[in-house]
Amino acid sequence: MPIPFSHTLATLLSDGWRLVFKEPLPEGIRQHLDRLLFFGAGMLSARILSAVVQILLGRTLGPAHYGELTIVTLLAGYLSLPIAGGWGLAFTRVAATQDDPQKSYQALKALLLICLCFALAVAAGVYLLRDPLGAWLNLPRRLMNLTLFMSLLYAGWILAKQIAQAFQAWGTYIAVDLGWAAILLLLVVFLILLGQSEVTAIGAAFLAAYLLSSLAIGPRVRRIIGSGPALAFARPILQHGGFLLLNGVIGISAYSIDRVLLQRFLGPQEVGLYQAHFISIYGLVISLMTLVLTYAFPLFCRDDRNAMGQNLKRICWLQYPFTLLLSALMGLAGLYLYDYPISAPLFICLCLFGGIQFHGQIKAWYLSSKGAAATRRVLGSQVLFLGVAVVLLMGLVGRLGMLAGGVSLLVAAVASLVYLNHIEKDLAP
């Protein structure tokens, strides 16, 4: 990132911070600005390429087959969680608190052994249950087989990013994230040009992109050789990671259950239309959340004196006008490119959901960074979100159709945020 641009942005940010918060820009933020700009540019590029892929697939496959691919990727997200979900985040906390690099690589060795064991268990479980699960979701065996392989390679890709995050190796993180999006776009375009645009062929492109981009973490992984015993780090990773895993399982269930239940009750056509709205409106908010939370989580873990808490509260409220406007503009542009019909009520629900969810996630991740005890409390917000979302969606889907998904997410996000505000007061020193 050019220095003059960084200097100009730092000046604007400093002036804006002083105007809003009536205090100078914290030196810690100024010190991280260059790296944050580099990281943000890489993440933004990856999200743009990913959005291009989604729109291209939506137009090429049509709503029904696009809905099938959506369910496969969502299931892969669910099934990858026991492999990499909680353990990788727990490793991030362990590595962020180590002064000796050798200890960090011993912890990495423990992480990889834990993930390998869970990968074998997940693969066996999915293989045995693929037929009954496929019957419940109205998915043929070929798509369940694709789901099995995608779960394993997606987990490896997530793990590669978590390792880079733990070492704050942001160049490697961008290589994994942006590399996946670039490889996938090239493969999808190639397949479309060849006329091979069925769901299984596109799924194979996803698999190749996950595998190839994950190789960027190889140099870090090789350094575990000769690093020493790893057993001492297995317990803290399993202990804290268990709560983070449960949190993640409930979290991804909460934010994906809408499409799974729509597939169950309405079929892939409605899932495809709903996914187009969701990606167009909420996709950019997810990108901003990922950027902020991925970069900030190691910093949260070091904030033992809770010095960041007050500023984060202000930022959470100030993001609303920006998030709502951006969601609306990007949603209109995205749905125009998809060339799918627009549901105005669903559009409004998802725009509001984006702002409230951004607020809640910043708060939840900051509280979770304080250790296992705080993570247990945050878990309650995810349980509440999931319960409210499922009850509302199942109760409304018969009358509202796919709009029930947007309504359930919005109400659940409000309930979760109210709960997080309550436990934040209890956890305050």
Side-chain angles (χ1 to χ4, degrees), residues 133-412:
L133 181 59
W136 189 81
L137 288 170
N138 301 314
L139 287 179
R141 173 177 277 195
R142 60 185 176 82
L143 294 185
M144 290 306 302
N145 290 335
L146 176 61
T147 300
L148 169 58
F149 289 109
M150 191 173 293
S151 301
L152 298 175
L153 290 176
Y154 177 74
W157 181 71
I158 290 295
L159 186 60
K161 294 202 295 181
Q162 289 173 337
I163 293 170
Q165 177 189 13
F167 288 103
Q168 298 186 55
W170 302 120
T172 303
Y173 190 103
I174 292 302
V176 176
D177 199 37
L178 181 57
W180 168 78
I183 293 169
L184 180 61
L185 178 59
L186 290 173
L187 291 176
V188 165
V189 170
F190 181 70
L191 288 172
I192 291 174
L193 290 176
L194 289 179
Q196 302 294 322
S197 57
E198 62 273 12
V199 175
T200 49
I202 298 299
F206 274 79
L207 300 181
Y210 285 134
L211 177 61
L212 294 174
S213 59
S214 298
L215 297 178
I217 202 64
R220 290 276 176 181
V221 173
R222 285 198 297 269
R223 293 179 67 176
I224 67 172
I225 300 173
S227 60
L231 188 60
F233 293 99
R235 183 175 179 180
I237 290 175
L238 286 169
Q239 184 180 38
H240 191 199
F243 293 117
L244 288 169
L245 172 60
L246 185 57
N247 202 348
V249 169
I250 296 173
I252 195 171
S253 299
Y255 310 133
S256 305
I257 196 66
D258 49 354
R259 280 148 289 175
V260 173
L261 292 178
L262 288 176
Q263 167 73 17
R264 168 68 176 164
F265 293 112
L266 301 178
Q269 178 86 8
E270 294 297 302
V271 173
L273 292 172
Y274 183 89
Q275 177 72 352
H277 282 75
F278 190 87
I279 290 293
S280 299
I281 300 166
Y282 187 53
L284 188 59
V285 177
I286 293 176
S287 302
L288 292 173
M289 285 169 50
T290 303
L291 167 62
V292 172
L293 298 175
T294 300
Y295 191 87
F297 189 66
L299 304 180
F300 290 170
C301 293
R302 294 192 178 98
D303 185 37
D304 295 328
R305 298 181 180 179
N306 299 313
M308 302 175 66
Q310 196 59 37
N311 286 333
L312 283 175
K313 289 180 183 178
R314 296 171 180 172
I315 290 171
C316 284
W317 288 106
L318 289 170
Q319 58 84 25
Y320 275 101
F322 175 76
T323 302
L324 292 174
L325 179 61
L326 204 57
S327 297
L329 293 176
M330 296 304 297
L332 290 172
L335 288 168
Y336 173 78
L337 292 173
Y338 267 102
D339 197 25
Y340 288 0
I342 297 177
S343 168
L346 179 60
F347 189 97
I348 294 170
C349 284
L350 291 176
C351 285
L352 294 172
F353 168 70
I356 295 170
Q357 184 63 6
F358 201 168
H359 187 166
Q361 285 298 293
I362 293 176
K363 192 178 293 291
W365 279 63
Y366 181 66
L367 294 174
S368 296
S369 71
K370 303 309 172 186
T375 302
R376 282 194 293 268
R377 300 293 302 276
V378 172
L379 179 61
S381 71
Q382 307 283 23
V383 174
L384 178 63
F385 188 113
L386 178 59
V388 171
V390 170
V391 170
L392 282 178
L393 196 150
M394 294 187 70
L396 296 174
V397 68
R399 286 176 286 177
L400 300 181
M402 68 178 182
L403 174 58
V407 172
S408 65
L409 287 180
L410 177 58
V411 176

